[in-house]
Amino acid sequence: MADSSRVQSDTLRTARSWRVTLAIFSLGLTTLVTQVILVREFLSVFYGNELVIGVLFANWMVLTALGAFLGRLRRPHIGDSGAFALVLMILGFLPLVMVFLLRVMKNVVFPVGTMVGLAPIFLTSFALLAPFCLFSGFLFALFAPLIANEEEGSLGRAYAIEALGSFSGGIIYSLILIFLLNTFQSLAALFALNGALAIAVGRDSPNVWGSAWVVAALVLIPLLLLNPDVTTKRWLHPGEVVVYSNDSPYGNTTVTRLDGQTNFYSDDALIASTNDAASREEPVHFALAQHPAPKSVLVCSGALSGMIAEVLKYGVNEVDYVEINPALMNLARGYAVELGDRRVRVTNTDPRIFVRDIRRTYDAVLLNVPEPSTLQSNRYYTEEFFQDIKEHLSPGGVLSFGLLPGVDYQSEEATRINSTMMRTLKSLFREVMIVPGDRMYFVASDSVVSIRIGALMDRRSIATKYVNKYYFDDDDLERRSRSIEANLSGTAPVNRDLEPISFYRHLTYWLSYFRSNLWPAVGVSVVLLILLISRLNVVSVGLLTAGFAASTMEMLVLFSFQILCGYVYQMLGVIVASFMAGLAAGAHLAPRIIPNPTASAFIKVQLSVAALCFLFPLVLLILKEAGEIRALVATVSCLLAFLIAALIGLEFSIGSVLRKGRPGSVAAELYGSDLVGSALGALLAGTLLVPTIGFGGAAAVAGSLSVISALVTLFSRRRLDAVNV
């Protein structure tokens, strides 16, 4: 009888462990996919940059940490299979609600067409993310102690399972879903997956089958019939007719019509409109008018505005048109018929990859890429990229691009941006001038350039609607140009790949719209961090600094890969997946690598994290020299992401043994501390550390914090080991 009871108990324990394992796996998968989609949506709706991403990640992780800490208030209880099924259904449903509310409420809460400031973005994201993040953090704190029936070391196993789920979610979304489905279709697939898992874990509950089918029908059928992706886009573009909307790895592309004009949006930012002569002619004629007889021209993006048709007016022999976004490329083929001209070669790739690989030279290079408002777009405005372009310019060749609005009065922040750009160009070209038009256009060459655009165009006898002597008074244009250039600083720092000062200055320019300053927020964050650390156990402090190092290093690896190899979306997904795989591997293998965790082992892992951070700048310099070997750069990037994450997973697993207490409370504290550190890394790495002190400085900060944390652990080593005897 006793044996029968024992067998029955073991069977029940196995079933419970299997359900919890599946629930934690689904939690990791759902969280990662939802996070990626929400980041894309916030960037699209609020025209975001790294600061918006940092705020979003910070809110996400802090709220999840808060949910985990709330899990300490409830002693874990293993419910029946129906409870697990219900949790999975809710987990899959909440992301659909969040994205729907984000799109629908944007123009309800904020006036249509206004630029939303940092504080409203913070509050909006906090409110929208709260239900899902609090719920997911609470679930981890609730489920983690249940894994393996609360055996010692089980918290590390729970961490590994969640990381494995995140790894699976990253692979599924980045390499499959994003290429096949739009946002709501991807979320519907995520809901369906959670529904299937709910049925699997709740198959022995009498009400699960029927309830799951009813809920699935109520959610999925409207999604299939109503096409919410296009419907919600109409809310974001009131008064306009949405004729096309498509998601791709490079963002959302939307086409609308209004009063006979077609408008093209990339992530809901207007990039081109038909019947806009200024945006079509200025980027072309300001530059090509400087060359006596341009025959070969490279154009990077901008075909939707009609730029290629203007280039062909010069009787060129060849035009290379490069567009990174395949969705924009497909649109351009339909709207810009001149792309079919036999003289035009169209290439779908990153402009930096194209320029690095091409062997041709050009009489003019016209950049029409986004401003350096993000670290990704800053890559197109660095000394290194301009040097690559110069090597592909023929004698007398011209480089041109537009930046800020071309107004006579430039704010202090705008002047700093223009000063850095002028200094960067002058480090390479003998002649650089600013032409104030609809935008502030920079024209650079080693030959003489002239600001007298009207006279240049008059001698060309090229038919234009806007750029001609009737709209441009050369004397006035020269006065305006000299006035703007006179206010520029000749000692401004040069914008470089690994020192992206233009991005930081563009960030402060963006904040100036709302009279905002980044430093008070940094000061408040530091004070709150000190207060938090003062209340944490030494092990939790270690995991907080580990989370900071992990988040910072992940961002650095991603940014450096983009700079060295260009923007290759699939590879970025692989790097993120490598990071998640490292977390899972480190946490899972910890009991085998360190069977008897001690404070000394914890310190050694902390110092290993610091060493990897300190070595990163050296590795980055080596990779920069080997930039032509992209396979090597990709392999090392994935290896770096895996190694730093594996160390963090190992540190979490050791910490879960060192930190004694009720499993639910320990899981909440350690998981929450890790997330708070990750939030700080996500917020500060891309917005403050990299732009101001460069990649090496950011890595040094992360490494130094790990060393300090190791020293704190060293002073508490005897007490920790005594507790674990």
Side-chain angles (χ1 to χ4, degrees):
M1 190 73 175
D3 291 340
S4 177
S5 299
R6 189 180 302 109
V7 170
Q8 186 177 5
S9 176
D10 290 342
T11 302
L12 181 60
R13 185 182 301 111
T14 301
R16 288 170 177 170
S17 179
W18 175 79
R19 291 190 186 103
V20 176
T21 298
L22 200 56
I24 294 177
F25 179 88
S26 178
L27 177 64
L29 185 150
T30 303
T31 299
L32 192 284
V33 174
T34 302
Q35 189 179 81
V36 173
I37 290 177
L38 259 293
V39 167
R40 289 165 56 91
E41 287 296 315
F42 266 88
L43 289 178
S44 175
V45 171
F46 293 110
Y47 325 121
N49 48 38
E50 268 78 5
L51 185 55
V52 173
I53 294 175
V55 167
L56 181 63
F57 274 135
N59 275 342
W60 182 288
M61 294 175 188
V62 168
L63 283 167
T64 305
L66 181 59
F69 285 128
L70 290 175
R72 300 173 65 180
L73 304 179
R74 175 183 172 122
R75 186 172 293 276
H77 172 69
I78 301 178
D80 61 17
S81 56
F84 283 106
L86 177 63
V87 162
L88 292 174
M89 295 294 284
I90 295 174
L91 195 64
F93 180 68
L94 284 176
L96 284 164
V97 177
M98 285 194 296
V99 173
F100 180 82
L101 289 177
L102 175 61
R103 290 190 181 182
V104 170
M105 296 300 292
K106 195 263 183 176
N107 286 333
V108 173
V109 177
F110 306 106
V112 177
T114 58
M115 186 178 291
V116 182
L118 190 62
I121 290 175
F122 171 82
L123 295 174
T124 302
S125 63
F126 191 91
L128 277 174
L129 296 178
F132 180 86
C133 293
L134 290 173
F135 185 59
S136 62
F138 182 83
L139 288 182
F140 184 85
L142 197 64
F143 287 155
L146 306 182
I147 202 75
N149 196 28
E150 300 188 10
E151 292 176 3
E152 188 168 290
S154 63
L155 296 182
R157 182 165 176 255
Y159 191 78
I161 294 170
E162 194 220 19
L164 184 61
S166 297
F167 165 78
S168 303
I171 291 292
I172 291 171
Y173 185 77
S174 300
L175 302 184
I176 301 175
L177 294 183
I178 189 59
F179 295 98
L180 302 177
L181 306 176
N182 63 35
T183 296
F184 277 95
Q185 289 171 339
S186 295
L187 291 173
L190 187 63
F191 174 79
L193 175 62
N194 275 278
L197 293 176
I199 293 173
V201 301
R203 64 178 184 270
D204 57 350
S205 179
N207 299 320
V208 167
W209 277 90
S211 300
W213 283 110
V214 170
V215 172
L218 291 175
V219 173
L220 296 178
I221 290 177
L223 287 173
L224 294 173
L225 295 178
L226 299 179
N227 193 1
D229 201 67
V230 174
T231 302
T232 52
K233 281 294 179 184
R234 295 192 183 108
W235 283 82
L236 292 172
H237 300 278
E240 301 179 60
V241 178
V242 178
V243 298
Y244 174 84
S245 180
N246 176 67
D247 288 313
S248 78
Y250 302 92
N252 174 266
T253 304
T254 300
V255 182
T256 69
R257 288 202 181 99
L258 177 65
D259 297 331
Q261 177 173 286
T262 303
N263 303 307
F264 304 93
Y265 296 88
S266 178
D267 284 336
D268 287 311
L270 183 65
I271 57 172
S273 296
T274 56
N275 306 322
D276 185 353
S279 65
R280 180 175 66 249
E281 295 182 4
E282 287 184 350
V284 174
H285 300 298
F286 287 173
L288 294 191
Q290 309 294 331
H291 197 283
K295 295 302 179 184
S296 59
V297 179
L298 170 62
V299 180
C300 299
S301 196
L304 284 168
S305 66
M307 284 179 60
I308 303 299
E310 299 300 315
V311 172
L312 294 176
K313 291 179 180 180
Y314 284 81
V316 298
N317 295 332
E318 59 180 8
V319 178
D320 273 320
Y321 177 68
V322 180
E323 177 64 68
I324 187 174
N325 189 339
L328 292 180
M329 179 72 75
N330 293 334
L331 280 176
R333 292 183 187 277
Y335 287 91
V337 295
E338 58 270 17
L339 288 178
D341 190 288
R342 60 178 179 78
R343 293 170 291 177
V344 180
R345 288 187 295 260
V346 180
T347 306
N348 185 198
T349 189
D350 186 302
R352 287 200 63 159
I353 293 177
F354 182 87
V355 171
R356 188 179 299 169
D357 292 347
I358 201 69
R359 295 292 176 262
R360 291 187 287 274
T361 59
Y362 300 96
D363 296 321
V365 175
L366 310 179
L367 295 180
N368 198 47
V369 291
E371 294 180 350
S373 57
T374 67
L375 283 170
Q376 178 189 328
S377 57
N378 185 78
R379 303 159 44 245
Y380 302 122
Y381 298 92
T382 63
E383 185 180 48
E384 290 87 346
F385 185 43
F386 292 156
Q387 177 65 50
D388 287 343
I389 289 175
K390 183 176 180 178
E391 292 174 359
H392 291 84
L393 284 176
S394 58
V398 181
L399 164 66
S400 177
F401 55 85
L403 278 183
L404 308 176
V407 295
D408 288 351
Y409 172 73
Q410 295 284 300
S411 66
E412 182 179 350
E413 292 80 9
T415 299
R416 288 174 178 168
I417 293 174
N418 292 329
S419 297
T420 287
M421 205 49 56
M422 178 67 79
R423 178 80 189 285
T424 304
L425 287 168
K426 282 192 171 182
S427 69
L428 298 168
F429 295 94
R430 288 199 296 268
E431 296 284 334
V432 183
M433 71 174 180
I434 291 179
V435 185
D438 189 49
R439 303 187 67 73
M440 200 72 71
Y441 288 91
F442 287 79
V443 179
S445 177
D446 281 337
S447 296
V448 176
V449 293
S450 173
I451 192 64
R452 307 188 70 80
I453 302 298
L456 292 174
M457 292 302 298
D458 192 45
R459 288 198 295 269
R460 293 282 186 173
S461 299
I462 291 176
T464 56
K465 290 184 178 181
Y466 181 69
V467 180
N468 51 54
K469 64 181 180 180
Y470 303 106
Y471 282 91
F472 285 84
D473 179 275
D474 285 346
D475 292 333
D476 181 62
L477 192 64
E478 185 172 10
R479 176 192 60 79
R480 294 173 61 199
S481 177
R482 287 181 176 176
S483 175
I484 292 169
E485 291 183 16
N487 290 323
L488 302 183
S489 170
T491 59
V494 172
N495 190 40
R496 297 188 174 93
D497 280 344
L498 303 184
E499 298 171 1
I501 189 63
S502 283
F503 161 67
Y504 177 72
R505 291 190 162 177
H506 213 287
L507 195 62
T508 59
Y509 172 76
W510 180 74
L511 288 171
S512 70
Y513 276 108
F514 319 106
R515 302 179 184 273
S516 302
N517 192 311
L518 197 60
W519 291 103
V522 173
V524 172
S525 298
V526 170
V527 172
L528 292 176
L529 179 61
I530 293 173
L531 291 175
L532 175 63
I533 290 176
S534 67
R535 299 179 60 87
L536 288 177
N537 177 275
V538 64
V539 176
S540 299
V541 172
L543 289 177
L544 188 146
T545 58
F548 181 89
S551 185
T552 299
M553 291 298 294
E554 182 184 17
M555 303 277 278
L556 294 181
V557 171
L558 288 171
F559 294 152
S560 60
F561 178 82
Q562 287 182 234
I563 289 169
L564 296 174
C565 292
Y567 186 75
V568 184
Y569 181 85
Q570 296 92 324
M571 196 60 227
L572 297 183
V574 172
I575 293 174
V576 173
S578 299
F579 183 86
M580 294 302 173
L583 286 178
H588 177 69
L589 296 176
R592 300 179 186 177
I593 299 174
I594 305 176
N596 298 307
T598 62
S600 295
F602 194 67
I603 293 170
K604 289 177 182 177
V605 175
Q606 289 177 300
L607 293 177
S608 298
V609 171
L612 194 56
C613 293
F614 291 137
L615 283 173
F616 177 75
L618 176 61
V619 175
L620 189 56
L621 289 175
I622 295 173
L623 290 179
K624 191 176 181 182
E625 293 300 318
E628 297 292 330
I629 312 174
R630 294 198 191 98
L632 174 63
V633 177
T635 301
V636 173
S637 297
C638 289
L639 182 60
L640 281 172
F642 182 89
L643 286 177
I644 187 69
L647 288 172
I648 302 306
L650 186 63
E651 190 171 343
F652 185 94
S653 184
I654 297 172
S656 69
V657 177
L658 293 178
R659 180 68 173 107
K660 291 301 181 181
R662 184 166 58 87
S665 179
V666 172
E669 180 181 320
L670 299 186
Y671 186 63
S673 300
D674 180 36
L675 287 173
V676 169
S678 297
L680 288 170
L683 181 60
L684 297 179
T687 60
L688 188 64
L689 297 179
V690 171
T692 55
I693 59 178
F695 280 70
V701 169
S704 299
L705 287 177
S706 292
V707 170
I708 293 172
S709 179
L711 291 175
V712 172
T713 308
L714 179 64
F715 292 131
S716 306
R717 180 177 56 180
R718 291 183 179 178
R719 178 168 55 84
L720 286 174
D721 287 339
V723 170
N724 287 278
V725 172

